[in-house]
């Protein structure tokens, strides 16, 4: 299991957000996100948006804390990156 979360530094909708990713599979990511209560609508292309008040829940459940650049590097290295503007 390899799940990662970056710090809640992304503003939106009046709060701060983190990104939750897997470097193994989307199946692993979806299962983990469901286990910590992330709704399916929080999934965006290749990650889940996690509000700052749920950050610690993800970490307690096993997500590893890493910086945003490292998160993108691992996601890309795993072949799971789906940038905006490119087909899935």
């Amino acid at each position: 299991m390899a799940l990662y979360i970056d710090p809640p530094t992304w503003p939106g909708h009046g709060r701060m957000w983190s990104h939750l990713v897997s470097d193994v599979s989307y199946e692993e990511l979806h299962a983990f996100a469901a286990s910590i209560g992330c709704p399916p609508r929080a999934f965006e292309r290749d990650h889940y948006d996690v509000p700052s008040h749920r950050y610690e829940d993800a970490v307690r459940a096993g997500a590893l804390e890493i910086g945003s650049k490292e998160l993108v590097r691992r996601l890309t290295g795993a072949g799971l990156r789906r940038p905006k503007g490119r087909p899935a």
Side-chain angles (χ1 to χ4, degrees):
M1 183 187 251
L3 291 141
Y4 303 95
I5 192 164
D6 63 1
T9 57
W10 303 93
H13 308 287
R15 62 177 82 177
M16 301 301 281
W17 299 83
S18 293
H19 300 113
L20 176 68
V21 304
S22 167
D23 69 356
V24 172
S25 69
Y26 295 118
E27 291 79 16
E28 177 187 54
L29 177 60
H30 294 313
F32 184 85
S35 78
I36 63 169
C38 286
R41 71 179 180 275
F43 182 69
E44 186 178 339
R45 293 179 322 277
D46 56 13
H47 67 275
Y48 277 83
D49 292 322
V50 178
S52 60
H53 69 275
R54 301 294 307 275
Y55 179 84
E56 290 300 325
D57 296 338
V59 172
R60 276 193 298 276
L64 302 173
E65 300 171 274
I66 62 174
S68 300
K69 288 181 182 180
E70 179 65 13
L71 182 141
V72 171
R73 188 186 71 72
R74 291 182 189 227
L75 189 61
T76 302
L80 297 172
R81 181 80 169 111
R82 293 180 178 165
K84 284 183 181 177
R86 292 190 197 163

